[in-house]
Amino acid sequence: MQLTDKLHKSVETIWEGYLSQPFVKELGEGTLDADKFRFYMIQDYRYLLQYAKVFAMGIVKSEDERIMAKFSTMVEDVLNGEMNVHKTYMGRLGITEKEVETTKSSLANQSYTSYMLDVAYKGDALDILIAVLACAWSYQEIGEHHKEIPGALEHPFYGEWITGYSCEEYCATTKEIMDLVNELGEGISLEKEKKLEEIFVNCSRYEKGFWDMAYKMEM
């Protein structure tokens, strides 16, 4: 069993719960209030700016040029890939760069990103990958689940979000992270494995909190 398989098993219940959370469920059904989605987009954009920094720490913590290049590509994928979906929506929602810059990150957002950055500063390249994987992988699972809902991909507003997180390009990016996790995780000690599982579970719990925060529009 590969490391990613073990990690996934440790959060199965948490991730299954995402699908019944109001924000995620209503997004898939196309009934989510636009104001809630607008709030989420600003908070998630601010999240992604910190998320990219966590990936960037992987370059700092690596000595292998090949792995440094992989982390560099991951930073690029966030800043000029995933964030483009957000920029499109922000334009449609009338969200300006000024509004994003002046809006404070919610407490749940700050707590989550601070945790990931703390893991990155204190840990190694593998710790960093585990800290970002919960977000990347769980979003893919949500996207793949939602695209099977009749009419979800064709929804005039939320279809683009679902497509963005279930498309071949996004799945390939997530697989690249998972492959590197399995490569670096091969032969690690049981103690290290338990530490990584704790990080993965914590980040998965933070994901739950983020969805709740977005639905409640809670600062």
Side-chain angles (χ1 to χ4, degrees):
M1 184 180 288
Q2 292 187 304
L3 179 55
T4 52
D5 295 321
K6 295 176 182 178
L7 292 171
H8 191 275
K9 189 172 180 60
S10 72
V11 296
E12 281 181 345
T13 302
I14 299 173
W15 285 21
E16 286 170 4
Y18 295 157
L19 300 176
S20 61
Q21 287 186 258
F23 189 101
V24 177
K25 185 172 183 292
E26 292 175 16
L27 190 154
E29 295 170 346
T31 59
L32 180 66
D33 184 274
D35 286 339
K36 295 182 188 295
F37 189 72
R38 189 181 195 280
F39 180 91
Y40 159 79
M41 289 304 297
I42 294 174
Q43 288 298 317
D44 201 46
Y45 194 90
R46 293 183 63 82
Y47 167 90
L48 287 174
L49 290 172
Q50 303 307 311
Y51 186 67
K53 293 179 184 179
V54 179
F55 279 112
M57 282 299 297
I59 301 173
V60 177
K61 293 297 182 82
S62 302
E63 297 297 335
D64 186 305
E65 183 179 350
R66 180 181 62 87
I67 294 176
M68 291 173 71
K70 283 183 177 292
F71 274 111
S72 177
T73 299
M74 291 169 191
V75 174
E76 174 73 13
D77 287 339
V78 174
L79 294 178
N80 295 307
E82 186 172 358
M83 291 180 81
N84 285 338
V85 176
H86 289 64
K87 288 174 182 176
T88 300
Y89 270 115
M90 286 160 62
R92 292 165 67 183
L93 290 164
I95 301 170
T96 64
E97 289 184 13
K98 184 69 174 177
E99 184 176 3
V100 174
E101 291 171 3
T102 56
T103 299
K104 292 182 179 179
S105 294
S106 71
L107 189 61
N109 196 349
Q110 291 181 55
S111 180
Y112 187 3
T113 55
S114 293
Y115 176 75
M116 287 194 297
L117 285 166
D118 185 62
V119 168
Y121 283 123
K122 293 177 180 177
D124 57 22
L126 184 53
D127 295 322
I128 290 168
L129 289 167
I130 299 305
V132 297
L133 181 58
C135 177
W137 195 0
S138 67
Y139 265 60
Q140 179 183 322
E141 289 212 348
I142 290 169
E144 290 179 331
H145 173 273
H146 282 4
K147 77 176 183 180
E148 299 302 323
I149 299 174
L153 288 176
E154 294 73 36
H155 191 277
F157 197 68
Y158 298 124
E160 188 176 345
W161 188 97
I162 296 167
T163 298
Y165 288 109
S166 62
C167 67
E168 186 176 330
E169 184 179 4
Y170 183 80
C171 292
T173 299
T174 303
K175 185 178 184 301
E176 186 174 4
I177 300 172
M178 294 169 65
D179 287 345
L180 192 54
V181 164
N182 288 325
E183 177 187 334
L184 299 182
E186 190 173 350
I188 59 173
S189 67
L190 182 58
E191 181 181 5
K192 177 70 171 179
E193 189 177 306
K194 290 297 182 185
K195 177 189 176 185
L196 296 175
E197 182 180 310
E198 180 181 356
I199 294 170
F200 197 64
V201 169
N202 285 343
C203 288
S204 296
R205 292 174 63 195
Y206 273 122
E207 283 293 319
K208 180 184 184 303
F210 201 97
W211 293 123
D212 285 338
M213 170 273 295
Y215 193 76
K216 296 174 184 175
M217 299 174 66
E218 187 174 67
M219 292 298 293

